[in-house]
Amino acid sequence: MTKKAWGGRFTNDSISWVDDFNASIHFDKVLIEEDIKGSIAHGDMLKTKGILTEDEFKKIEAGLKEILEEYQKGQITFSIEREDIHMNIEALLIEKIGPIGGKLHTARSRNDQVATDMHLYVKREVIDIISTIEYLQGTIVELAESNIEVLMPGYTHLQRAQPILFSHHILVYFWMLERDKARFKDALKRIDISPLGAGAISGTTFDIDRHQTQKALDFNDIYHNSMDAVSDRDYIVETLSNISLTMVHLSRLSEELIFWSTDEANFITLSDAFTTGSSMMPQKKNPDMAELIRGKSGRTSGYLMSMLMLLKGLPLTYNKDMQEDKEGLFDAVKTIKGALKIMDGMLSTMSVNKDVLEEAVSNDFSNATELADYLVEKEIPFRDAHEIVGKLVLTCINRGIYLKDLPFEEYKKASSVIENDIYDILSAKVSVNRRISYGSTGTEAVKVQLKLARERIT
């Protein structure tokens, strides 16, 4: 039976299946680098304050580095009886260098230790997520630039609305991701704070230097209240919230790709590398990667709700409930990083079916608003123009034709102000390029947007 670090007050041995339920080593072993980094900083501070000797610290530091190296080589097996990554490392250190290893925990609790590990982990992963988002943004910009002349139908209510540029549509997701990136960057202000040295709840009687460990671990700030330091999980909630919203944005883009790749639309063709087939139907090419991203957005949102419910009734300060803050976060981080990379792969390898898109905007009524605007320019009130065009559309529907096919005599009957230039106005390309307002779908406006997008990622 492994001796418990807290076992002095207990008389009975623990039960193995209870140990298994209690342990977090199954998942918190991913914190090993953070735990060792924090321990070395703490030991160095103890040495500076004369709590450890120079020789003791050197042995502790060397032992910790050996443990990390052995772990990376797959030479370490962790123990469930030792509960978590902190106690496993401490036990391994004592086995390696003797009782000196037990001095490392002076002026430190697992409460501030795990908080430190989590802050270091979340900071590292959020910085990586920001970088991965920016990489995907670059791919979106390249996709928009290479298709700057391509027209497509714009939709509202999944009904054809107005012709737009494909680049204008895809850039929407650049700006969604730009806001996501900004939220992650802002969250770093709350993540980049050191709780180390707060102890279990009330600090410590030892003369430690929390500012030294803050600087050693490259934290931008420090907790000013020991109870807040060990009980704060706001930064995890905020990170999960940012992950959830980014995943929702990726889910929306996935839904676009799924629709665009159907036979009914055929606007794009996804690479074989990001699709799968059917075990029964040989003709199938399924957009499974996009569907998985769409599905996994529910998973990450669930982790956010779980974390909020975890915290809502907790009294100060540390409670064992807080052990449940990790698995969901770890999986959410893995999920979003995978989803961002998969989305980047899908966008960078897909083909835009330009001819299909051009035909789509040539054979619909998405130019109806253009006709109404034309009448308004001829000083017909918009409401009257709207009714005139609506009746013309109905005439076309009844005849099985489109506005571009309607004889000029019909236009003249509808309104005497309509001239022969109406057919130019009804052209999808002309319609798009008549959009001159800032942020619109006009080619020149989109070029301005692209320039700004490039500046944001370079």
Side-chain angles (χ1 to χ4, degrees), residues 114-123 126 187-193 195 223 228-229 231-242 307 311 325 329:
V114 67
T116 302
D117 289 1
M118 289 298 285
H119 275 275
L120 288 170
Y121 169 84
V122 175
K123 178 182 175 181
V126 164
L188 283 171
K189 298 174 189 174
R190 271 81 65 189
I191 295 166
D192 201 9
I193 306 175
Y223 279 95
D228 188 35
S231 64
D232 174 32
R233 295 298 184 273
D234 294 357
Y235 66 100
I236 294 179
V237 173
E238 190 171 4
T239 300
L240 285 170
S241 176
N242 292 338
M307 191 66 202
L311 292 173
D325 65 355
L329 175 66

Side-chain angles (χ1 to χ4, degrees), residues 16 75 257 303 307 312 327 329 386 398 401 406 449:
S16 60
Q75 297 172 349
L257 298 181
Y303 293 139
M307 191 66 202
K312 75 173 186 65
E327 281 185 279
L329 175 66
H386 190 286
N398 289 334
I401 59 176
L406 196 63
Q449 186 185 165

Side-chain angles (χ1 to χ4, degrees), residues 141 144-145 147-149 165 167-168 171 175 433 435 438-455:
V141 168
E145 287 175 337
N147 293 280
I148 188 64
E149 300 296 333
L165 289 180
S167 53
H168 190 57
L171 279 171
W175 297 113
N433 287 324
R435 297 295 187 273
Y438 182 84
S440 70
T441 194
T443 303
E444 293 308 311
V446 171
K447 286 179 179 178
V448 171
Q449 186 185 165
L450 273 167
K451 182 175 181 294
L452 181 58
R454 273 285 180 202
E455 290 170 357

Side-chain angles (χ1 to χ4, degrees), residues 126-332:
V126 164
I127 289 171
D128 194 34
I129 289 168
I130 290 168
S131 175
T132 310
I133 287 174
E134 192 152 284
Y135 197 87
L136 175 56
Q137 285 182 294
T139 297
I140 290 172
V141 168
E142 289 171 9
L143 185 61
E145 287 175 337
S146 62
N147 293 280
I148 188 64
E149 300 296 333
V150 178
L151 302 174
M152 71 173 293
Y155 291 83
T156 65
H157 307 276
L158 264 185
Q159 304 292 316
R160 298 280 180 92
Q162 294 177 327
I164 58 173
L165 289 180
F166 173 85
S167 53
H168 190 57
H169 189 134
I170 201 68
L171 279 171
V172 172
Y173 293 97
F174 174 94
W175 297 113
M176 285 187 190
L177 290 168
E178 184 68 9
R179 293 191 294 273
D180 292 331
K181 191 171 68 176
R183 277 184 282 267
F184 278 113
K185 286 181 176 179
D186 191 66
L188 283 171
K189 298 174 189 174
R190 271 81 65 189
I191 295 166
D192 201 9
I193 306 175
S194 176
L196 190 56
I201 176 172
S202 61
T204 177
T205 57
F206 290 92
D207 180 24
I208 63 171
D209 186 348
R210 291 188 61 210
H211 293 282
Q212 179 182 329
T213 52
Q214 174 203 343
K215 292 173 184 175
L217 295 172
D218 196 29
F219 281 118
N220 186 57
D221 201 355
I222 193 168
Y223 279 95
H224 306 291
N225 182 298
S226 63
M227 294 175 68
D228 188 35
V230 298
S231 64
D232 174 32
R233 295 298 184 273
D234 294 357
Y235 66 100
I236 294 179
V237 173
E238 190 171 4
T239 300
L240 285 170
S241 176
N242 292 338
I243 288 173
S244 297
L245 185 51
T246 305
M247 284 296 295
V248 166
H249 291 156
L250 294 179
S251 179
R252 294 183 71 178
L253 178 51
S254 293
E255 175 61 23
E256 305 266 36
L257 298 181
I258 292 164
F259 168 63
W260 291 348
S261 65
T262 61
D263 289 340
E264 287 73 19
N266 195 28
F267 293 166
I268 63 167
T269 301
L270 292 172
S271 164
D272 289 354
F274 296 95
T275 55
T276 66
S278 165
S279 62
M280 181 179 185
M281 297 167 282
Q283 83 283 7
K284 294 295 294 297
K285 184 176 180 180
N286 301 323
D288 279 13
M289 300 307 109
E291 291 173 352
L292 275 172
I293 291 174
R294 186 176 61 182
K296 287 177 184 291
S297 64
R299 177 176 181 153
T300 53
S301 295
Y303 293 139
L304 171 60
M305 292 302 105
S306 177
M307 191 66 202
L308 288 169
M309 294 304 99
L310 170 70
L311 292 173
K312 75 173 186 65
L314 284 188
L316 295 176
T317 51
Y318 186 81
N319 299 269
K320 190 69 170 181
D321 312 51
M322 288 180 175
Q323 182 169 292
E324 291 297 303
D325 65 355
K326 297 174 187 63
E327 281 185 279
L329 175 66
F330 295 160
D331 190 68

Side-chain angles (χ1 to χ4, degrees), residues 341-359:
K341 289 173 184 175
I342 290 289
M343 183 58 73
D344 181 76
M346 282 194 292
L347 294 184
S348 62
T349 59
M350 78 181 193
S351 301
V352 178
N353 300 331
K354 302 176 184 180
D355 293 342
V356 175
L357 288 166
E358 184 176 343
E359 183 179 355

